[in-house]
Amino acid sequence: MKVEVINPFLESVANVLSTMAMLESTPGKPSLKNDDIAKGDVSGIIGMSGANVAGSMAISFPKNVACEIVKRMLGDELDEINDTITDLVGEVTNMVAGGAKNQLMENGYDIGMASPVVVTGEGHSITHKAAGKRILLPFTTEVGEFFVEVCLE
Amino acid sequence: MKVEVINPFLESVANVLSTMAMLESTPGKPSLKNDDIAKGDVSGIIGMSGANVAGSMAISFPKNVACEIVKRMLGDELDEINDTITDLVGEVTNMVAGGAKNQLMENGYDIGMASPVVVTGEGHSITHKAAGKRILLPFTTEVGEFFVEVCLE
């Protein structure tokens, strides 16, 4: 997968969290995700399809990072994963994919976005089954790490 | 959501499992999924988007039903969720969505399919965040129940 496909996701994640939650995130080194499985407690997943591309993106948060984002965006102090968190993770996923999509369209990729799905369950893991390479993007914030995975073919 | 949108998924699930795994499945009563959350141990999720539709479909299997499908399709006796199972669930998800898509296109819906994502983790749950209604379709087989959820807007 080309850098021009990955970068829009990297930038969009940082933009959305910075703008919406005042949470600065620093991308780590992208890696090809093989056995290296990101586990999360709450994940937003969104499918993408278009004339010349099909794939999926997931953002996996540990519970404490998801709660911190809710606190910063809505002011709610939560310690359990509930509808407020899944709504917010769905919204963040939508915004990240939307931002990346706009950038990708400027680069000549014609992408349609599906609607997001949010998965909850302690320590679940996600496997993308697109034929393309899976890229794992780790992000560090002052409240913990989270992971973005992109797979486009 | 109209019956003409739901029926292709019902039919496609039954067709795929019957043809590929010689597993007969009987659909139960579809319900609007609100608090009623289907939990599974391994789920295939696929996004769909098109000119007049966006949404997602998920198929959630308990571990024993997923293992039985692997046994019937590949002859492997498994008791843990591994790559063989996630590959197969991804494949089944693809085939079910593909079958439903073909039927929907005959009904005038223009749908693009994303690539499938497979989630594993004991007792995880899935929330579709499309604006449309979420429909939960329970299926019964001789080896146990599983659930299909469809959300299209």
Side-chain angles (χ1 to χ4, degrees):
Chain A
M1 208 179 326
K2 293 178 194 161
V3 172
E4 71 177 28
V5 175
I6 296 304
N7 278 350
F9 289 94
L10 280 168
E11 287 167 19
S12 188
V13 170
N15 278 344
V16 167
L17 290 181
S18 166
T19 313
M20 304 300 294
M22 306 287 187
L23 184 65
E24 298 307 319
S25 52
T26 311
K29 196 173 152 39
S31 64
L32 290 178
K33 190 195 172 202
N34 294 316
D35 297 334
D36 193 17
I37 287 180
K39 288 182 192 297
D41 301 323
V42 53
S43 299
I45 299 171
I46 196 160
M48 291 168 284
S49 70
N52 48 5
V53 65
S56 49
M57 183 197 76
I59 311 183
S60 292
F61 296 102
K63 190 171 78 172
N64 71 306
V65 176
C67 288
E68 181 66 25
I69 292 173
V70 168
K71 187 176 156 189
R72 292 181 181 214
M73 282 178 73
L74 305 176
D76 295 8
E77 298 262 6
L78 298 176
D79 54 8
E80 286 298 327
I81 291 172
N82 61 11
D83 285 353
T84 304
I85 292 191
T86 65
D87 279 351
L88 201 87
V89 169
E91 200 54 50
V92 166
T93 306
N94 227 352
M95 287 188 287
V96 169
K101 174 191 161 167
N102 291 341
Q103 189 66 49
L104 285 167
M105 287 181 83
E106 286 178 19
N107 298 347
Y109 292 85
D110 174 20
I111 294 190
M113 273 166 46
S115 44
V117 170
V118 178
V119 174
T120 56
E122 217 171 293
H124 64 257
S125 63
I126 291 171
T127 316
H128 298 259
K129 297 293 183 189
K133 290 204 172 73
R134 294 175 273 163
I135 308 285
L136 180 64
L137 308 167
F139 285 83
T140 315
T141 73
E142 60 181 330
V143 295
E145 270 196 317
F146 67 91
F147 296 92
V148 174
E149 296 166 58
V150 181
C151 185
L152 291 174
E153 64 192 48
Chain B
M1 209 179 326
K2 294 178 193 159
V3 171
E4 70 177 28
V5 175
I6 297 304
N7 277 351
F9 289 94
L10 280 169
E11 286 168 19
S12 189
V13 170
N15 277 344
V16 167
L17 290 181
S18 166
T19 313
M20 303 300 293
M22 306 286 188
L23 183 65
E24 298 307 320
S25 53
T26 310
K29 196 174 152 36
S31 64
L32 290 177
K33 189 196 172 203
N34 294 314
D35 297 334
D36 192 18
I37 287 180
K39 290 183 190 298
D41 301 322
V42 52
S43 299
I45 299 170
I46 196 160
M48 290 168 283
S49 71
N52 48 4
V53 66
S56 49
M57 182 196 77
I59 311 184
S60 292
F61 295 103
K63 190 171 79 173
N64 73 305
V65 175
C67 288
E68 181 66 26
I69 292 172
V70 168
K71 186 176 156 189
R72 291 181 182 214
M73 281 177 73
L74 306 175
D76 295 8
E77 298 262 5
L78 299 175
D79 54 9
E80 287 298 329
I81 290 172
N82 62 10
D83 284 354
T84 304
I85 291 190
T86 64
D87 279 352
L88 200 87
V89 169
E91 199 55 50
V92 165
T93 307
N94 228 350
M95 287 188 286
V96 169
K101 174 190 162 169
N102 290 342
Q103 188 67 47
L104 285 166
M105 289 182 83
E106 287 179 19
N107 298 348
Y109 292 85
D110 175 20
I111 294 189
M113 273 167 47
S115 44
V117 170
V118 178
V119 174
T120 55
E122 218 170 293
H124 65 258
S125 63
I126 292 171
T127 317
H128 298 259
K129 297 294 183 187
K133 290 205 172 71
R134 293 174 272 164
I135 307 284
L136 179 64
L137 308 167
F139 284 83
T140 314
T141 73
E142 60 182 329
V143 295
E145 270 197 317
F146 67 92
F147 296 92
V148 174
E149 295 167 60
V150 181
C151 185
L152 291 172
E153 63 190 52

